[in-house]
Amino acid sequence: MKITVETLRGFKGVRPFGALTAYDYPGARLLDEAGVPVILVGDSLGMVVLGHPDTTSVTMDDMVHHLRAVCRARPRALVGADLPYKAYETPAQAVRNARRLVESGAEYVKAEGGREILPQIRAILAGGIPFMGHLGMLPQHVVEEGGKYRMKGRDEVGRQRLLEDAIALEEAGAFAAVLELVTPPVAAEIRGACPRLLTVGIGSGPDCDGQILVTHDLVGAFPWFTPRFVTPLARTGESIRSSAQQWLASLATRA
Ligand code: KIV
């Protein structure tokens, strides 16, 4: 049966769910066959697939192209997509771009930020589009912050800001929020304070309603960088290298 936002809501307080990123047809099909309930076409696309140093070069056209490929797998999973950098500067632009993602197959959209993008979030939700927030370390802002992927919520000001942002997202009607690199006690506090918001942690400890990872990190498909909080469960990059080497060697023996 198709996973919906309502299915996910049913997981709250019952069992944690997993979410992974996909950027193409085989990626989505394999995750779906594995039973992953939530797929995100993340703008991490820019780094792990398109070779950019950060996510800020990703465009709406990039997102649509990869989202369409993912949707061709017709996943049972709930499929969503990121609004990329500068694609939600105003409420009108946010709704226009969110609609474009929905027309390309997204069943929810995600954007980074809290109260500072509340008018955009409200406009997306008023357009009938399910919304997932993203709080904590915001990759689209990491360049502005000096290029460091830092943990958030370490001091009282940071803790309070995160808590208030999460409550604002919940009150606006977001069904979920990614908590990226949020200190585990603050992630746990947000989960307790927001009974109608599914918290989806990444590098934020175990006390979240769900966990999300970039699939390439989980399977070692981008071996040049692995975040500290991920233990890869496969070495896909190594397999590709050694398969190519074995094949080249086999050609040499035919000479
Ligand atoms: O872009 C992405 O893949 C994400 C996840 C890491 C949450 O935002």
Side-chain angles (χ1 to χ4, degrees):
M1 230 173 51
K2 179 74 188 156
I3 306 274
T4 63
V5 166
E6 282 317 309
T7 322
L8 281 190
R9 285 203 169 109
F11 289 153
K12 179 115 183 155
V14 178
R15 66 176 174 87
F17 62 88
L20 285 168
T21 60
Y23 315 98
D24 56 21
Y25 173 88
R29 188 163 168 184
L30 289 167
L31 295 185
D32 212 48
E33 288 173 3
V36 173
V38 185
I39 288 176
L40 172 69
V41 183
D43 62 355
S44 50
L45 164 74
M47 299 169 82
V48 299
V49 175
L50 301 180
H52 296 299
D54 55 63
T55 61
T56 59
S57 304
V58 177
T59 63
M60 274 299 296
D61 285 348
D62 291 332
M63 293 305 301
V64 164
H65 180 75
H66 287 269
L67 172 60
R68 286 210 173 116
V70 162
C71 291
R72 271 178 217 121
R74 299 192 174 280
R76 175 180 165 267
L78 185 73
V79 176
D82 266 328
L83 281 164
Y85 188 56
K86 301 275 185 209
Y88 48 103
E89 300 265 272
T90 65
Q93 189 199 25
V95 182
R96 194 168 59 248
N97 284 326
R99 283 214 179 103
R100 195 168 161 215
L101 294 177
V102 169
E103 282 157 12
S104 307
E107 295 161 307
Y108 69 92
V109 302
K110 177 167 86 58
E112 295 181 9
R115 283 161 293 171
E116 73 280 13
I117 61 160
L118 214 45
Q120 288 91 318
I121 296 172
R122 288 203 180 109
I124 290 168
L125 286 161
I129 300 170
F131 182 79
M132 178 185 280
H134 188 147
L135 301 174
M137 198 283 292
L138 305 180
Q140 293 176 7
H141 295 277
V142 94
V143 180
E144 293 156 25
E145 290 184 13
K148 292 272 182 303
Y149 292 81
R150 288 210 179 86
M151 203 84 189
K152 300 289 174 172
R154 296 177 114 135
D155 57 16
E156 183 48 30
V157 174
R159 173 192 155 270
Q160 196 63 36
R161 184 183 303 136
L162 282 167
L163 205 54
E164 287 174 16
D165 279 341
I167 291 168
L169 288 183
E170 180 182 56
E171 283 174 355
F175 76 95
V178 166
L179 303 180
E180 181 157 5
L181 291 183
V182 169
T183 60
V186 175
E189 201 179 346
I190 291 172
R191 183 192 195 187
C194 298
R196 287 171 287 115
L197 186 76
L198 292 158
T199 57
V200 191
I202 172 161
S204 300
D207 290 328
C208 295
D209 298 306
Q211 298 286 336
I212 187 164
L213 285 180
V214 169
T215 300
H216 284 52
D217 296 338
L218 179 67
V219 303
F222 193 82
W224 309 279
F225 173 76
T226 307
R228 270 199 310 271
F229 54 85
V230 182
T231 307
L233 296 180
R235 305 236 166 252
T236 316
E238 268 311 306
S239 301
I240 292 173
R241 256 195 226 120
S242 65
S243 303
Q245 282 165 346
Q246 277 181 47
W247 181 71
L248 286 176
S250 79
L251 294 183
T253 61
R254 281 188 225 161

